[in-house]
Amino acid sequence: MLKVILLLLISFSPIYADGLQFFREDITFEIKDNFFIVDGYYYFKNNSNNIIKERLFYPFPQKEIYGEVDLVFADDYKHEQRNTKLHIRGNGASFMVEVQPDSISIMHVGYRQKIISNQAEYILETTQNWKQSFQQVNYSLIFPKSYALDSLSYTPDSLQTQEEKYIFYWHKQDFMPQRNFIVKFGKE
């Protein structure tokens, strides 16, 4: 765990100093077919007069209670013809972000992790390494009615009920996460 934290500090510290700001994320989480699926849009702003090309590290939860990550993707949302080259390790993936001067880049990143316990987790605490709060976040969790929800690490703002699932929603502004996004559940 200490190695992961050190790697994150090393990976993220120079990025912020170079004028890159990670200011927003919109993420859909889903519990489906014994997998935890993460599908997110990550917004980066270049506050400098130079092109920024940086490799970012995207961590996966590493506790013994989590299964293997078997699918990972990262694409530049504005330039779909560009295939972002991923470097995948057991503890996460890294990819390049390129942002033109005084502009925004949106990365579409996601993964799928096998559920082997009654818990799923998404790492949010690393946001603190950017030393700046998100301007805005939007999260949703698609949760099957065939499971029993035990707890959520963040209280949702709203809930939508559909035939076979619940959809929880979160919207936050000026948000600095103090804990990870954790869902605890059991099967009914």
Side-chain angles (χ1 to χ4, degrees):
M1 180 67 168
L2 181 59
K3 289 179 188 176
V4 172
I5 291 170
L6 289 174
L7 179 61
L8 290 173
L9 289 173
I10 292 167
S11 298
F12 283 103
S13 294
I15 293 170
Y16 183 72
D18 288 339
L20 188 65
Q21 179 186 6
F22 179 25
F23 69 96
R24 176 179 171 178
E25 61 183 13
D26 300 330
I27 305 172
T28 299
F29 306 104
E30 184 172 11
I31 306 284
K32 182 179 181 182
D33 300 329
N34 291 315
F35 285 97
F36 180 57
I37 301 163
V38 176
D39 187 351
Y41 292 88
Y42 302 84
Y43 297 74
F44 300 93
K45 182 187 265 185
N46 181 347
N47 294 315
S48 76
N49 295 323
N50 302 311
I51 294 174
I52 294 178
K53 293 181 183 179
E54 292 287 346
R55 180 162 295 283
L56 301 182
F57 182 75
Y58 189 94
F60 306 135
Q62 293 300 300
K63 298 174 187 168
E64 293 87 28
I65 62 172
Y66 300 124
E68 204 172 303
V69 172
D70 68 348
L71 294 174
V72 184
F73 69 88
D75 296 307
D76 185 323
Y77 183 68
K78 289 184 177 179
H79 304 96
E80 288 184 26
Q81 73 275 12
R82 250 194 253 167
N83 238 349
T84 303
K85 192 170 189 177
L86 278 171
H87 296 280
I88 302 169
R89 295 186 299 249
N91 62 343
S94 62
F95 55 88
M96 291 297 292
V97 172
E98 181 178 325
V99 190
Q100 296 299 312
D102 199 31
S103 66
I104 293 171
S105 179
I106 303 169
M107 295 298 295
H108 183 200
V109 182
Y111 66 91
R112 184 175 85 162
Q113 188 168 29
K114 183 77 174 160
I115 294 173
I116 60 172
S117 67
N118 291 337
Q119 182 171 311
E121 181 174 0
Y122 175 76
I123 297 174
L124 282 173
E125 292 173 340
T126 55
T127 305
Q128 296 171 14
N129 296 330
W130 289 84
K131 301 191 183 344
Q132 189 168 16
S133 300
F134 285 119
Q135 290 175 7
Q136 176 180 193
V137 298
N138 297 290
Y139 302 137
S140 62
L141 169 64
I142 302 169
F143 190 83
K145 287 185 175 180
S146 60
Y147 285 35
L149 181 62
D150 291 335
S151 68
L152 295 167
S153 58
Y154 290 92
T155 303
D157 297 316
S158 62
L159 167 67
Q160 180 183 5
T161 301
Q162 295 185 355
E163 190 172 315
E164 296 180 10
K165 59 190 169 190
Y166 298 107
I167 305 175
F168 298 91
Y169 296 97
W170 292 261
H171 173 78
K172 298 186 180 300
Q173 294 182 310
D174 191 26
F175 177 56
M176 177 60 80
Q178 299 301 313
R179 60 190 174 280
N180 290 336
F181 183 90
I182 299 173
V183 183
K184 293 183 180 180
F185 52 86
K187 290 195 174 183
E188 289 184 339

